[in-house]
Amino acid sequence: MLKIIKKIEKVLIAGILLVFCTILVLSFIDIAYEITLDIIAPPIFIINADRLMELFSLFLIILIGLELLETIKVYLKEDVLHVEFVILVAIIAIARKVIIWDFAKFSYMELIGLSTMILALATGYYLLKRSGLTIDMKKTKQDQDES
């Protein structure tokens, strides 16, 4: 029974990878299209600062997607969830938010919350790297036999 569940899990993860890759490719095509439209629109070869921030945001979303894709690939290959990758993806996602932060839209309390998240994730990442430990979510053979 466990072997069947494991095979179903592998098929689902492969499906997630396929869908995720498709989304990333389509997102890249969309960004290339948006940049092309911005470049050929008058004034030619000039992108205003607000539009540039939107484009940076789109690039960073693709970067986050690539990091998530890497996490899924590692899980599929090794059957291990690396906490380090998850923390890095969260740091990148919050860094994206900081980069595109609009001070006119959001309150200072939201900025304090964001900075608290950054500090917590950075501290967790630092402690994880400093300890030299890798948190391995993989079950051992003995744990699987007991299930």
Side-chain angles (χ1 to χ4, degrees), residues 41-144:
I44 296 178
F45 296 115
I46 296 187
I47 301 174
N48 68 23
D50 291 333
R51 184 66 179 142
L52 194 58
M53 290 306 289
E54 289 176 25
L55 292 173
F56 281 160
S57 176
L58 293 174
F59 277 112
L60 289 171
I61 288 172
I62 289 179
L63 180 63
I64 292 167
L66 289 171
E67 288 297 327
L68 286 171
L69 185 66
E70 184 65 28
T71 303
I72 295 168
K73 282 184 349 189
V74 168
Y75 179 75
L76 188 59
K77 281 182 186 175
E78 301 173 13
D79 200 21
V80 175
L81 180 63
H82 291 278
V83 176
E84 180 182 341
F85 285 136
V86 176
I87 292 175
L88 283 175
V89 169
I91 289 171
I92 292 169
I94 292 176
R96 173 195 164 271
K97 189 72 172 172
V98 169
I99 290 169
I100 64 166
W101 190 265
D102 185 1
F103 287 94
K105 258 188 202 176
F106 301 103
S107 72
Y108 287 103
M109 290 305 290
E110 290 170 314
L111 184 59
I112 290 170
L114 195 63
S115 62
T116 304
M117 285 189 282
I118 291 171
L119 186 61
L121 286 168
T123 302
Y125 184 76
Y126 172 76
L127 292 173
L128 185 66
K129 291 302 266 183
R130 183 168 174 158
S131 70
L133 296 175
T134 56
I135 300 174
D136 194 354
M137 304 298 281
K138 188 176 185 177
K139 286 187 174 182
T140 63
K141 177 91 170 125
Q142 181 181 357
D143 290 342
Q144 290 176 352

Side-chain angles (χ1 to χ4, degrees), residues 25-37:
V25 167
L26 292 175
S27 298
F28 178 77
I29 291 169
D30 181 51
I31 289 175
Y33 177 74
E34 292 290 327
I35 291 172
T36 303
L37 288 180

